[in-house]
Structures are given as structure tokens and as C-alpha cells.
Amino acid sequence: MLLGNPAFYQAQIDRKRIWRPVCGVSTPITPGAETTVGRALALRVLELDVQSWVNAVIHSPELPLVPEAIRCLQLAAEEEVNHDQVLNMAAERFAEMISTEDQQTAYQLQKLWQDHPDHPIIKAGVLESAVFFVVLPILRLLSGSATLRIISNDISNDESRHAAQNRQMAIDLGYSWSPSLNCLRKDTVAWLVERLHIPNHRLGSPTVWLDASDSLLERMEAPQLADTRRPSYIAFFEQANSGLPVYRSS
Amino acid sequence: MAKVLDGLSILDRAGQAVVGRVKAWLQEPQGRLPVSCTVYALSGEWDDVLASWLFVSKALRFGAGCAVNLEALHQFPTPSAGEIGFYLAEDHADYPEYAKLLHNCDADAAAWSARVKVADTMDEPVDEGWFSIQDSWVEVARRLQGGERVVVDLSRLRPRGQRNGKGLVASGPVSFSLIYLAIARLMADPSIPNLCAVYSVINEVLRRGGTYRNGAVTLFLDHTHPAAPAYLAMPRTQIEWAKRAMVIDASVLHHPLLPALLEAVESGDLFLAKKVYTPQGERLYSQVCMEVLLRSRDTCTLHHINIAELEIEQIPEAFEIGMHFLCELHRQSQVDSLGCYLPAEESRQVGLGILGLANFLAIQGITYDTFVNAFERFLDRWATIPEEQQLASLAAIAPAETDVANRAVLFLALGYLRSAKIARNYGMERAFTIAPTATSSFHYRDAHGYVTAPNIAPPIALSVLRDSQEFGLWEADYHPYAETAAQVGFDVYFRLACCFQRLMNSTGLAHAISFDLWDQQPIDVQFLSRWLDSPLLTTYYRTPTLGLDVVDKSRILCDVRPGECQTCAA
């Protein structure tokens, strides 16, 4: 018997939005968020790991998931390429924000995620829902850069679906994360935000992001990130054309 | 001026949404009204191209938008073998930045046939042998056209960021060098794309080089122009700070350009406009935001009715007050004192629009669908009533109407008719528009205290962040009963816009509508045909309206029916 609720997975497929990677001009970053933004971009190396894990799951012959779930995985694998591409563009544009040391640390963290023995779908689910769900709002609400905000919006379209479907697949397949993966998740987020310091900003300290990550993993919600519910209404004339989003209706 | 109406300030009147630049002027009405958006239609002469740079520059420095219509430009000079170089004194504060990008050409001075010395002023008179910044663009272009090797001496330009004591912040020599480089590329390879790049760079440097100013550039070309394919094919990076529009007619449906045009509109890279003429056959041109139709060098003066603040019965009076105010404003603007814009007596147009319709409908308990149905029924009946009887007929039937949607439509039409009479008394040829109000709508509130939605459109969501690199993130909460774009649907919105255009047309005083194309609507031949057959005159941005909840990172989303979602149940 195939596992999973087809309606749930089909709903995720139906929510897919086609977008094209765009990256505008380099802009100033909010004072106090520079290191965090640089590290958020350095952690882009984890995007392709998610892709490879998803691919590993798709190609695993014993995977007893409904076809809709497999289609979700296929789409996710394709979409991670877009994420990698647009984040590489951003990393190039904001190269001065990413120190060599931070990029090396990001690679070390990547290696730890790659080598971790938990099932790939669990690693993807934890990374998407409790690390990328923190990275994206940081780029959107704290970076001070319209270029990075648009990139965050675009990736968000996919990541919300990915987080939901990966978490659901883990449940369907009967997997759960190990304490050591949870530790790695905490360490990754702690490193990401450890230098964050924006005075008089509700989201300007590390604690709120650490708590949000814990909450997203454990309860699948983070009320402290309620500001992210507001969609963006982009002031098109105030943005360079190359940074304007491109969505397709079909 | 502020108290022109019964001694009461327009700023205190219900339903009057005064735009920012006008509001600032009303509060301190010294001198002329700040210049608003304008249009320059090229004559086709190359010298006029050079003149257009100065016109665009002036508009941008006033913080205004400038549309440039390139349709008439078919003749270009032959490619120039000229060459450009730069000089900046080594003791100039910006020299280190300059030296990273450019090098001084003085070492081999004899090899350069001309030296254009740039004074530290955009357009004020300068010492003999020097050029203002604007004039230096023309001088450089002409010398390059003559095949000369030109050194541009930037040493007198103030360092980047330095203030001049008149509130202006210097863009700096490095920033300005981008304009000369764009001009040099144009003269080496004269073409529409390279000309577009010049306008784009002028906007980039003037608008963003020193302190940020509002203002924008939109370029127009018609689909039959030989350069139209190249115009559409320009990558965004070649035209970062100018928007592209294309003037089309029904022949585009059988034109080889059609697939590229559809793709460009679908991607949000192209606005569309139909050709519009006055009853006397004079061509009118869309301005930057597409909703106002102007003669070349005319300027637009806008004012909006915040309908969200009004009861239904208050609408006609608000329109009358708004139009009266706007026409007085137009009469007293003195923008022609600048010498480059049409004087008020030749301008003969203003733009009265609406914002907050979504809030208004929410407060009145009317859905968009119901409103549009009532609007269409009204317009169909309206067409059968002789023109001289329309106003009296409306005034008689509107108060007696009991259906709230019908009543809203009747009083709205009454507002348009009564204010049209005022506009005609002032000699206006055009007076009604629907502008984007993408910024101004955020500054106004409805009768219940919520932020007004832009123009006649439903908001994309009930709570949004306006995202601007210059002004950061602004939060806006719309009326909780307002319908969103996803709920309304593009078809109803399209029909609504058609209704407004038909109503404006019925007054004989219509401009156009900045008509957003939502992502719900594929941009295909079927849609283009529908738009071409419709009364709508332009299209504007490609607006995302669907699936916007996915930016929410406060919960792991799923949207399956309650009880079906195992994630939520877990």
C-alpha cells in the first residue's frame, strides 16, 4: 500500500508558482545585520544538499509513497537548482558581506549535514522548516535590501511547500529526527545569528530567531515571525529592472 | 489656494486625497507648483534626441517622471569613430574611486583632439570654455559624431556626497562618467537600444547618484518600428532604470513580433498603450504611469477622490470639490515659467482619479462582482439616454434607488457628470483618470481607519508590506472586509476597469487607466485580442496576486481541508 494522502500532496503541487531567478543591484545592509546576512548567504551551500537528498529519496526503489508525493519531490529537486542559482547571484552581488572564514564555516556545517546519518527526507525537512524558515525572514525583514527581500520572497514560494511536504513525508514514512540532528540544527541557527545586533528592532537579537527555529521544528509554528505573513507590494519604480520579480502564469 | 473652497482647506475636506507634491506646495505655496510627470515625443531629428536628454534631466531633477516616445526616430547618424577619455585631477577627493574604473588621458594629451571641461552645475550659465553638465552631454555627443577623440575633464565636479548649500547632494564625477560612457556607446553604435541605455543611465545617476528623488523614465516605441525587435530583446541589465512600453494596434496580432511581445508583457518587462488622438486629430502620448494622455512637453496635475472616506451620497460633492480644486491648481501652477513645458492655456487637462474603492465597497457591503454587474447594467442603459438629459435624469433617479450597489454606481456617475461640467467650464479637454496611487494610497485612511487600497483595485492581501529600496518596508492593513485580488478574480477586475473607462469616456474628458495585469491572467493572443477590443487604453505592471500566503514563515503551511491534513493533525 502506498503511503500518504494524495490530496495533501496534490495541494502542494497546485500551490507551485513559476518564477525566474533575478538579482538586483548591491545595496546597503542594515547596520548590525551585516554578518548575519553574510552568513545567511554563505549557508546557500545547503540548498544543493537538499536537492541531492530529495533525489536520493526519489530514486530509492522501496519508497512506498503515493505518486503525488513523488511528484512533489521531483518539483522540489528542480526548484532547489533555482534557489542555488539565485543565491549564488546574491552572494556574488553581496560578496563583501561574506567573509572567507564564514564561508569556510558554512562548508563545515554543510559537511556535518551531509554526513549526518538521519534519513535524507528528515534532514531535508528539518533544514527547510527550521533553518531556511529562519534564513528567509532574516533576508526579508532584517537585511534592509530590496534585492535580498525579493529573492527571499521568490524562494519562499517554494520553501513553504517544501517544508510542508518534507515534514509530511517524514510522518508518512515513519521517520523522525534524532537528537543529534536537532543539535546540528540548533548549532547552525546559533552560528547564523550570533552576531545579530539591531538595537530597537523586535527581531534584532539572536534569541528571537533561536526560539523561532525551536518552535518551528517542535510545533510547526513561530508566532514571533507573524510579520512574515504580509505579502510584499513592491515599489517597482524604485527598484532596478534586473531585480524585479518574474512570475509566470503557466 | 489651499483655502480656495469656501475658506476651508482642501486638506480638511472629506474624500480629498491630495498628492504629496501638491500637499507640500499647499502648505507652503511659494513660487510655482512642483513639476509633475511629463512627456517628450521625439521629432525624429537627431538634434531633438540630444535636446530630449536635457528635458529628461530637468524632469528627473524635479523629482518628476518623464516618458519619452521614440516612435518618430528612424534616422540615426553614422557610427562614429570618435573616442572618449576622462580626466580627473589627482588631488580630487574622488580620485581613488575614479582610478579604480577609469584612467586619466592627459599623459598623451596630443592624441586627444578635444577637451570638454565640465563645470559644477547641471544647467546654470558657466565660464567661457566650460560646459554645464547637461550641455557637456550634447557637446560630447557632437564631437564624437564628428569623429573626434574627446577628453571629458571632470575635475570641477564636486566629490560624491558633497552638499552645495542649496539642498543638492553631488553624484560625483565617477557617477557622471557613466552618462558619458553611455553616450559614447550610442555614438559608436547609434541604435534604439543604445539610446534607451542613455535615458536609463541619466535616470540612474540623477535620481540615485546624490540623494534619492522620486521620478522615473518610461520609453515608448511602436510595434511596427524597425527597431522594435531589438527594443524587446534588450536584457534588463541594459536598461536598468527605465521602463519599456510599446504602442500597438490590432495589426500586432498578425505581426512577427507577437511572440516576443507577449513574452515581454508576461515577464513584466513591457507596458502596452494604444494610439490616442484628440478629436482634432492631434496625437496624445501616455506618461510614465500610463494613465494620463499628454501632448509632448505637457505635464500632468493629479488629484484623487478618497472614495473610502465617503458615504454614497457624498460622492458627487467630493468630485465637484476635487475637480474645482484641481482646475484651480492647474490654472495657478506656473510650470510654464520654467520655459520647457506647455503653458496652462495650451495644456488644458488635469487628472482626477479615485483611490480606496476596495475599502468603500467593503464598508458598503458590496462585492466587486455585484458592483461591476450594476455598473455594466447602468452603462448599457446610459448609452440610450440623450446626452442633454443625462445629468437631470441621474439626479432624479439616484436618490430614489434602494439597491446599494445600484445606488453607489448612480452617485458615482453623478459625481463624474457634475465634475465634468466644472472641468469643461475651465476649458479642460481631459480631466478623468485612474492613476496607480501606489504610494499615495498608503497615506490615506478609509472611514473606518484602515489604509486605503490603491485606485479601484482590490488589495493583493489584507495586510501587506510596501517594499521600497529607498523607503524600506511600510506596513499597511486594509479593511478586514475588503476583498482581495485573488477573491475578486481578474475577469471582474478587467470588466471593472472597462466600466470606469466607459464612464470617463462618456464625459468626453477621459484620460486612461494604469491597468495592472494580474498573474492570474496568462498573457496570450486571446487576452491581447480582448484588451485590444476593450475600451482600455494601456496596461501597466504584472502584479502577483496568487499564492501570496507562502511568504508566511510563522507556520509550516498546508492548505488541505481541515481533517485531511495529517501535518496539522500530528
Side-chain angles (χ1 to χ4, degrees):
Chain A
M1 179 191 160
L2 296 177
L3 299 174
N5 175 3
F8 170 81
Y9 293 109
Q10 186 58 48
Q12 306 314 309
I13 295 168
D14 293 343
R15 285 168 60 197
K16 178 177 169 60
R17 189 165 164 198
I18 302 169
W19 57 279
R20 190 169 80 197
V22 295
C23 182
V25 296
S26 175
T27 62
I29 297 297
T30 307
E34 297 94 336
T35 303
T36 304
V37 168
R39 289 181 178 182
L41 293 175
L43 284 176
R44 74 192 182 283
V45 295
L46 294 173
E47 291 280 352
L48 283 185
D49 291 324
V50 174
Q51 187 205 20
S52 66
W53 297 331
V54 166
N55 273 327
V57 175
I58 294 169
H59 296 110
S60 112
E62 72 285 359
L63 197 66
L65 286 167
V66 292
E68 290 81 359
I70 299 295
R71 181 64 188 140
C72 282
L73 289 170
Q74 289 165 340
L75 288 175
E78 291 166 16
E79 288 156 0
E80 294 297 346
V81 177
N82 256 7
H83 302 181
D84 180 60
Q85 187 185 342
V86 77
L87 287 170
N88 280 335
M89 291 157 78
E92 193 177 311
R93 201 74 90 239
F94 292 86
E96 74 280 9
M97 291 290 143
I98 310 169
S99 70
T100 308
E101 186 187 353
D102 283 347
Q103 192 58 68
Q104 284 170 352
T105 305
Y107 282 126
Q108 289 162 4
L109 285 166
Q110 179 193 27
K111 182 84 169 54
L112 292 172
W113 280 92
Q114 286 171 341
D115 294 345
H116 195 279
D118 273 11
H119 191 276
I121 203 67
I122 277 290
K123 291 198 286 186
V126 170
L127 199 52
E128 304 264 16
S129 63
V131 177
F132 293 163
F133 258 51
V134 170
V135 167
L136 292 172
I138 284 174
L139 294 179
R140 183 160 177 243
L141 299 179
L142 287 187
S143 70
S145 165
T147 296
L148 293 175
R149 288 197 289 263
I150 288 171
I151 288 172
S152 170
N153 276 348
D154 287 347
I155 296 176
S156 282
N157 292 332
D158 300 334
E159 293 295 13
S160 292
R161 290 170 26 244
H162 295 184
Q165 68 203 31
N166 290 341
R167 293 287 294 263
Q168 183 60 48
M169 268 175 222
I171 293 168
D172 291 340
L173 294 168
Y175 296 120
S176 62
W177 61 83
S178 64
S180 60
L181 189 70
N182 193 18
C183 280
L184 181 55
R185 186 267 309 172
K186 276 178 182 284
D187 290 346
T188 304
V189 176
W191 174 77
L192 170 70
V193 296
E194 70 172 333
R195 302 268 175 85
L196 181 63
H197 178 65
I198 309 174
N200 305 317
H201 194 301
R202 199 178 62 74
L203 301 173
S205 67
T207 314
V208 65
W209 298 98
L210 294 166
D211 291 347
S213 176
D214 289 346
S215 184
L216 282 162
L217 188 72
E218 290 156 16
R219 291 183 289 282
M220 298 184 73
E221 62 176 14
Q224 52 274 70
L225 300 184
D227 286 352
T228 63
R229 289 176 193 164
R230 296 172 180 272
S232 293
Y233 184 92
I234 293 165
F236 292 89
F237 272 112
E238 294 159 26
Q239 178 71 20
N241 289 334
S242 60
L244 290 174
V246 179
Y247 305 117
R248 305 197 63 85
S249 50
S250 57
Chain B
M1 178 65 219
K3 294 182 186 295
V4 69
L5 303 157
D6 306 330
L8 182 64
S9 168
I10 187 76
L11 302 174
D12 300 328
R13 291 281 196 161
Q16 304 299 321
V18 182
V19 298
R21 70 182 65 224
V22 173
K23 190 184 278 185
W25 185 72
L26 287 176
Q27 286 159 347
E28 200 172 338
Q30 302 294 320
R32 60 170 174 74
L33 180 73
V35 172
S36 196
C37 294
T38 184
V39 166
Y40 197 92
L42 294 180
S43 69
E45 298 294 322
W46 183 248
D47 276 356
D48 198 39
V49 171
L50 307 185
S52 74
W53 299 344
L54 311 193
F55 188 88
V56 169
S57 163
K58 181 159 274 194
L60 291 170
R61 284 183 293 117
F62 288 136
C66 187
V68 183
N69 191 294
L70 310 168
E71 290 171 38
L73 185 62
H74 289 267
Q75 300 285 329
F76 286 91
T78 52
S80 158
E83 195 178 335
I84 195 166
F86 294 94
Y87 175 76
L88 188 69
E90 291 185 16
D91 59 355
H92 193 287
D94 286 358
Y95 186 79
E97 181 191 3
Y98 167 89
K100 286 180 193 167
L101 302 167
L102 301 163
H103 70 277
N104 275 342
C105 299
D106 253 20
D108 190 15
W112 298 86
S113 53
R115 190 179 187 92
V116 174
K117 295 190 284 188
V118 185
D120 188 32
T121 174
M122 284 304 299
D123 58 359
E124 288 171 4
V126 295
D127 296 340
E128 194 172 338
W130 291 77
F131 294 90
S132 69
I133 294 170
Q134 283 190 173
D135 288 344
S136 73
W137 302 339
V138 175
E139 181 68 12
V140 166
R142 289 202 171 119
R143 288 188 176 274
L144 288 172
Q145 191 179 344
E148 295 191 58
R149 303 188 71 218
V150 187
V151 173
V152 184
D153 186 339
L154 303 167
S155 297
R156 273 206 190 175
L157 298 185
R158 280 172 296 135
R160 182 161 63 98
Q162 193 177 93
R163 294 179 181 276
N164 71 348
K166 299 176 189 170
L168 296 177
V169 180
S171 298
V174 174
S175 186
F176 275 111
S177 70
L178 299 175
I179 297 177
Y180 300 104
L181 289 169
I183 291 171
R185 278 193 294 274
L186 171 65
M187 301 314 296
D189 178 15
S191 64
I192 288 285
N194 282 338
L195 176 58
C196 292
V198 173
Y199 295 116
S200 170
V201 172
I202 289 175
N203 187 25
E204 178 179 2
V205 172
L206 297 188
R207 191 175 166 226
R208 305 175 58 82
T211 47
Y212 174 81
R213 297 176 187 86
N214 280 320
V217 171
T218 303
L219 305 172
F220 289 76
L221 195 69
D222 68 289
H223 79 274
T224 59
H225 194 286
Y231 179 74
L232 288 184
M234 271 188 291
R236 286 177 165 192
T237 49
Q238 192 177 348
I239 185 173
E240 282 282 28
W241 291 101
K243 307 299 178 195
R244 267 173 285 184
M246 186 153 273
V247 182
I248 65 170
D249 57 36
S251 71
V252 77
L253 295 171
H254 311 287
H255 196 280
L257 197 66
L258 181 62
L261 181 136
L262 293 173
E263 170 62 27
V265 177
E266 171 81 49
S267 303
D269 289 320
L270 192 70
F271 308 154
L272 297 176
K274 295 176 186 173
K275 275 189 182 166
V276 182
Y277 298 87
T278 66
Q280 293 74 37
E282 189 179 356
R283 177 72 189 278
L284 297 173
Y285 302 94
S286 302
Q287 43 65 286
V288 280
C289 299
M290 313 297 286
E291 83 279 17
V292 174
L293 301 169
L294 299 172
R295 293 183 174 93
S296 185
R297 296 188 300 111
D298 201 352
T299 59
C300 59
T301 308
L302 294 180
H303 179 65
H304 309 294
I305 300 303
N306 175 5
I307 197 169
E309 208 180 9
L310 302 172
E311 291 296 334
I312 291 175
E313 296 74 16
Q314 293 176 300
I315 295 172
E317 189 190 7
F319 266 79
E320 287 178 294
I321 291 171
M323 186 60 82
H324 183 187
F325 165 74
L326 192 51
C327 292
E328 278 297 317
L329 190 68
H330 174 270
R331 199 168 61 83
Q332 300 178 32
S333 72
Q334 302 175 50
V335 293
D336 50 319
S337 64
L338 291 162
C340 54
Y341 301 114
L342 290 189
E345 57 271 20
E346 285 182 46
S347 169
R348 312 315 325 154
Q349 53 76 35
V350 290
L352 182 64
I354 288 182
L355 57 81
L357 182 70
N359 306 58
F360 169 79
L361 294 177
I363 290 168
Q364 298 299 332
I366 308 169
T367 65
Y368 265 89
D369 187 48
T370 306
F371 186 69
V372 170
N373 287 333
F375 212 156
E376 287 176 336
R377 281 196 304 272
F378 163 76
L379 289 167
D380 290 344
R381 276 203 316 271
W382 189 242
T384 65
I385 300 174
E387 195 177 329
E388 64 277 9
Q389 296 172 19
Q390 286 180 342
L391 188 53
S393 167
L394 253 187
I397 62 171
E401 175 61 53
T402 53
D403 177 84
V404 67
N406 289 337
R407 191 173 170 83
V409 169
L410 292 173
F411 275 94
L412 180 69
L414 202 51
Y416 272 88
L417 255 64
R418 283 187 184 166
S419 53
K421 201 171 167 186
I422 293 170
R424 274 192 293 272
N425 286 342
Y426 274 92
M428 294 300 165
E429 296 168 352
R430 290 174 304 289
F432 296 109
T433 187
I434 302 291
T437 65
T439 302
S440 54
S441 64
F442 284 84
H443 297 300
Y444 288 92
R445 299 288 180 275
D446 66 23
H448 293 177
Y450 295 99
V451 173
T452 50
N455 57 51
I456 57 173
I460 59 169
L462 293 184
S463 298
V464 302
L465 289 174
R466 182 184 189 272
D467 188 340
S468 158
Q469 182 55 47
E470 302 304 330
F471 303 110
L473 297 171
W474 297 350
E475 291 180 359
D477 293 306
Y478 298 116
H479 198 288
Y481 296 159
E483 290 177 283
T484 64
Q487 291 166 327
V488 170
F490 183 77
D491 181 64
V492 170
Y493 174 58
F494 186 96
R495 288 164 52 209
L496 174 76
C498 290
C499 286
F500 269 95
Q501 188 69 53
R502 287 172 67 191
L503 180 59
M504 295 193 301
N505 289 349
S506 74
T507 68
L509 295 169
H511 284 287
I513 297 174
S514 296
F515 180 63
D516 284 337
L517 299 176
W518 299 355
D519 56 355
Q520 303 168 25
Q521 174 60 55
I523 306 302
D524 51 21
V525 173
Q526 191 181 2
F527 170 74
L528 194 62
S529 302
R530 184 186 186 196
W531 177 80
L532 283 163
D533 289 340
S534 78
L536 298 176
L537 297 172
T538 70
T539 72
Y540 197 45
Y541 279 117
R542 193 84 170 116
T543 308
T545 61
L546 293 176
L548 301 180
D549 58 339
V550 292
V551 291
D552 181 0
K553 293 290 165 284
S554 68
R555 54 197 160 185
I556 313 294
L557 284 175
C558 61
D559 55 5
V560 180
R561 287 186 300 275
E564 266 194 2
C565 175
Q566 295 166 43
T567 302
C568 293

